[in-house]
Amino acid sequence: MPLYNEAQVVRDVIRQAVEVFPNIVCVDDGSTDNSVAEAIAGGAVVVRHPINLGQGAALQTGLEYAMRDPSAEFFVTFDSDGQHGLEDAFAMVERLAHEPLDIIIGSRFLDGRTKPGKIKKIVLKLAVVFENVSTGVRLTDAHNGLRAMNRAAASAIQIEQNRMAHASEIVAKIGQNKLRYAEHPVHIIYTDYSRAKGQSVWNLVNILNDLIFK
């Protein structure tokens, strides 16, 4: 779980998540607020970056730390701001346990639960077209942070892009390593909190930047 200045919500997010996933690794990416204390209070193990490196770097650090546990079979990337649903994450892990798959990517476009704005939807759809053509990996939602993977996938996907380009890099490495993949319908919850932070607008800018300059 990457973490950057989410002190207002992260304790509750982790408290709920730990009831389903007891082993939560939270990677603080140089937060300047009380995020670390709140994450610990919620029940997570916190690994810290002394400076902000970006979400891709936080995910790679978290996966490396989690894989140190030899008994860990499955790994979930999950946002710390409350936008992801635990029921979706659990269902994705259940599929990994019972289907011949290495990684499952969440998609907000496989059912009607998620209601992104018109501009956001257009940009995300353009990103999908670009990724499908450039990687050969056929997805309906290429920039979804909710993913579940087995140890083989977690080992194969070495994230080198520190910032938002990591989403495109993960898709590319699924294709390069011929990982068995599928999508799963998920509900992205656009809360007043996330909208107030302006994440939606900036994420669109970052996605467009990835498509043009990655």
Side-chain angles (χ1 to χ4, degrees):
M1 183 182 291
L3 174 62
Y4 180 67
N5 289 347
E6 303 285 3
Q8 185 176 332
V9 297
V10 69
R11 183 191 298 204
D12 287 339
V13 171
I14 293 172
R15 276 183 172 173
Q16 294 175 41
V18 79
E19 294 181 4
V20 180
F21 300 103
N23 301 308
I24 296 180
V25 178
C26 204
V27 180
D28 177 66
D29 194 32
S31 292
T32 57
D33 64 2
N34 203 34
S35 289
V36 171
E38 290 295 305
I40 293 171
V45 171
V46 177
V47 180
R48 303 186 69 175
H49 288 168
I51 60 173
N52 179 258
L53 297 175
Q55 192 176 78
L59 288 173
Q60 183 60 35
T61 296
L63 287 169
E64 289 176 358
Y65 185 94
M67 284 193 292
R68 292 179 182 178
D69 181 353
S71 67
E73 297 182 64
F74 305 115
F75 308 86
V76 176
T77 64
F78 194 91
D79 286 354
S80 57
D81 62 1
Q83 291 195 102
H84 292 155
L86 287 170
E87 66 281 0
D88 294 330
F90 182 78
M92 292 162 73
V93 172
E94 283 290 290
R95 287 187 64 186
L96 283 180
H98 296 98
E99 298 180 33
L101 296 168
D102 297 308
I103 184 168
I104 299 177
I105 308 294
S107 173
R108 74 200 90 185
F109 300 121
L110 292 179
D111 60 24
R113 289 180 293 166
T114 301
K115 307 295 183 184
K118 290 182 179 179
I119 295 176
K120 187 178 185 73
K121 186 173 183 179
I122 290 170
V123 172
L124 290 171
K125 289 291 188 180
L126 287 174
V128 164
V129 172
F130 185 87
E131 300 294 354
N132 287 351
V133 171
S134 63
T135 68
V137 177
R138 302 296 175 184
L139 299 174
T140 62
D141 190 354
H143 284 259
N144 197 308
L146 182 53
R147 313 172 186 89
M149 63 192 82
N150 63 17
R151 183 171 284 272
S155 298
I157 298 174
Q158 295 291 313
I159 302 170
E160 298 173 356
Q161 296 288 340
N162 283 355
R163 298 194 178 274
M164 293 305 294
H166 75 273
S168 301
E169 183 184 22
I170 289 172
V171 175
K173 290 194 173 182
I174 290 172
Q176 292 167 7
N177 291 285
K178 296 181 170 53
L179 298 175
R180 300 167 298 174
Y181 69 93
E183 289 186 289
H184 188 86
V186 301
H187 183 199
I188 303 300
I189 306 163
Y190 298 114
T191 63
D192 291 340
Y193 169 78
S194 65
R195 289 190 179 98
K197 291 186 67 177
Q199 291 180 343
S200 178
V201 174
W202 285 113
N203 279 346
L204 295 182
V205 173
N206 289 327
I207 289 170
L208 288 172
N209 182 70
D210 287 354
L211 295 178
I212 297 169
F213 299 111
K214 74 171 184 176

